[in-house]
Amino acid sequence: MSVPQQTREYRLPKVDGFHNLTLTEAPIPKLKATEVLVKVHAVSLQYRDLIVAKGQYPLGQKENPVPCSDMAGEIIALGEEVKGWTVGERVCSNFAVDHIFGDVTEEIKATGLGAPIDGVLTEYKVLPAHALVRIPEHLSYEEASTLPCAALTAYNALLGPNPLKGGDIVLVQGTGGVSIFGLQLAVASGATVIATSSSDEKLAIAKKLGAAYTINYKKTPNWDEEVLKITNGRGVDHVVEVGGPGTIMKSVNAVRYGGTVSVIGFVAGQADVSMLPVKVLSKSIIMRGILIGSRAQFEDMNRLISAVKLRPVVDKVFSFEEARKAYEYQESQQHVGKVVIKVSKD
């Protein structure tokens, strides 16, 4: 196919809400020697995209960004020095394009797609070849677009430097993207999963995905005490903590002595956390912040996904022209798993 010169892309000229999403045309930059041009087939949304649209992303964002960080597509052109890739291969990009292995640095953090640098809500995207990973063969583009942020965050939390073991007990909060992947990856690795949600319908889906126990936190506000009952007072080995200050005190109550709390999000609002250091100290808790993960971890995760034929949970797919509707649906919190925008028509 001939290489296109123009792309349609969304931008956020103002950041007081996603009603500002504006579809524009732009020239595709000339490829540098080590870059590839990817035809974007699908993009998935996360909570981060909502707060970037409001100008409230705490890690910083550029003016008038192309939003979104997570995409799946196919390579349609290669820079002259690119090795190991061919035109037509199906790929995802890592969330931070320069996070190849090891820990995050300030410089790596500044390469996160869709906030500090332009993102992927575009028909064609130029990317450094070192940011790419191959898509597991059994996944569609829509399914694969959910992997870079939600799946890799859950993988880093549960199977990163402090990996779970078969037989461990994992607590996941809610049924959003990270939590559902946490549930699926934990079950695939031989763990027992406890899932919480405010909806019995969503908990029924969590059960089908392999959760051994479910807790409706609307009906059982002291869900941490319920977790201790289920575990005979011991507590869980790992908590996938996405609520932030609003849930973290309950999480440290629900985790075992010496257990791990992976701090990932802040969707539950504010609360008094003045006793948190004492609680962490008194129970020897390992508390670790998760900022997505590296390309090396992404490749490791994809081997696991391929081995167990794990299928991401895609709740709803919107067309490229319906991007605002997709954001509305993401904000409504009706979804289980991921909300996806299908960018390409073919």
Side-chain angles (χ1 to χ4, degrees):
M1 67 182 279
S2 62
V3 176
Q5 304 301 309
Q6 294 278 119
T7 185
R8 289 190 305 156
E9 63 188 20
Y10 280 94
R11 287 196 177 265
L12 286 163
K14 286 192 200 154
V15 283
D16 58 357
F18 57 76
H19 60 276
N20 293 303
L21 279 167
T22 305
L23 188 55
T24 61
E25 286 225 356
I28 296 170
K30 189 173 185 305
L31 285 186
K32 293 178 184 161
T34 55
E35 291 178 332
V36 300
L37 180 60
V38 175
K39 179 179 180 178
V40 179
H41 281 267
V43 168
S44 72
L45 296 181
Q46 34 257 323
Y47 178 71
R48 174 186 185 253
D49 298 317
L50 299 176
I51 56 175
V52 166
K54 292 174 185 167
Q56 295 170 357
Y57 186 51
L59 304 185
Q61 60 191 76
K62 74 187 287 276
E63 293 282 312
N64 194 24
V66 174
C68 301
S69 54
D70 291 24
M71 71 92 206
E74 66 176 308
I75 297 173
I76 61 167
L78 301 166
E80 58 198 32
E81 290 177 21
V82 172
K83 292 187 173 60
W85 294 102
T86 57
V87 168
E89 284 196 276
R90 302 190 322 142
V91 294
C92 290
S93 171
N94 202 48
F95 173 90
V97 295
D98 287 351
H99 193 183
I100 297 167
F101 61 88
D103 293 325
V104 174
T105 64
E106 201 64 36
E107 292 76 20
I108 285 170
K109 211 162 67 170
T111 68
L113 290 161
I117 67 171
D118 282 335
V120 296
L121 196 52
T122 177
E123 291 176 317
Y124 298 94
K125 180 69 184 171
V126 173
L127 290 159
H130 64 240
L132 301 181
V133 298
R134 288 175 176 86
I135 291 171
E137 284 181 20
H138 69 288
L139 298 184
S140 68
Y141 282 117
E142 288 82 2
E143 290 169 325
S145 74
T146 68
L147 301 178
C149 184
L152 190 55
T153 297
Y155 183 86
N156 190 359
L158 295 174
L159 292 154
N162 183 30
L164 62 80
K165 305 181 299 299
D168 279 0
I169 304 175
V170 173
L171 172 67
V172 300
Q173 296 173 341
T175 51
V178 173
S179 299
I180 288 290
F181 273 118
L183 160 56
Q184 291 178 289
L185 292 166
V187 169
S189 303
T192 298
V193 177
I194 304 171
T196 69
S197 174
S198 60
S199 155
D200 286 341
E201 290 78 14
K202 290 179 177 180
L203 288 173
I205 296 170
K207 272 266 197 220
K208 278 187 189 154
L209 292 169
Y213 304 94
T214 58
I215 304 167
N216 185 318
Y217 62 76
K218 282 267 167 74
K219 295 177 182 173
T220 312
N222 293 331
W223 50 265
D224 49 332
E225 300 296 336
E226 187 64 21
V227 168
L228 290 172
K229 267 190 219 161
I230 291 167
T231 58
N232 297 316
R234 175 180 177 270
V236 299
D237 298 279
H238 291 258
V239 181
V240 178
E241 166 52 67
V242 299
T247 52
I248 202 161
M249 294 306 293
K250 284 187 165 70
S251 291
V252 296
N253 195 39
V255 77
R256 70 169 171 85
Y257 279 76
T260 301
V261 178
S262 294
V263 180
I264 289 161
F266 39 86
V267 299
Q270 296 302 310
D272 178 14
V273 292
S274 56
M275 290 302 292
L276 184 60
V278 174
K279 270 283 204 184
V280 171
L281 176 68
S282 66
K283 290 181 78 174
S284 299
I285 293 166
I286 300 163
M287 191 167 277
R288 178 171 170 254
I290 309 289
L291 207 54
I292 325 296
S294 68
R295 190 198 77 193
Q297 286 177 308
F298 202 155
E299 290 165 340
D300 290 345
M301 176 185 74
N302 281 354
R303 278 196 290 278
L304 172 58
I305 287 172
S306 296
V308 299
K309 296 291 184 278
L310 187 151
R311 295 213 92 104
V313 178
V314 175
D315 185 292
K316 202 163 183 181
V317 179
F318 293 82
S319 73
F320 189 54
E321 291 72 23
E322 295 176 314
R324 280 191 209 171
K325 281 189 184 167
Y327 270 71
E328 276 169 26
Y329 189 65
Q330 176 79 19
E331 189 178 53
S332 75
Q333 295 189 323
Q334 295 170 46
H335 60 286
V336 174
K338 298 295 290 180
V339 179
V340 171
I341 297 169
K342 184 174 164 58
V343 178
S344 169
K345 298 282 188 286
D346 50 23

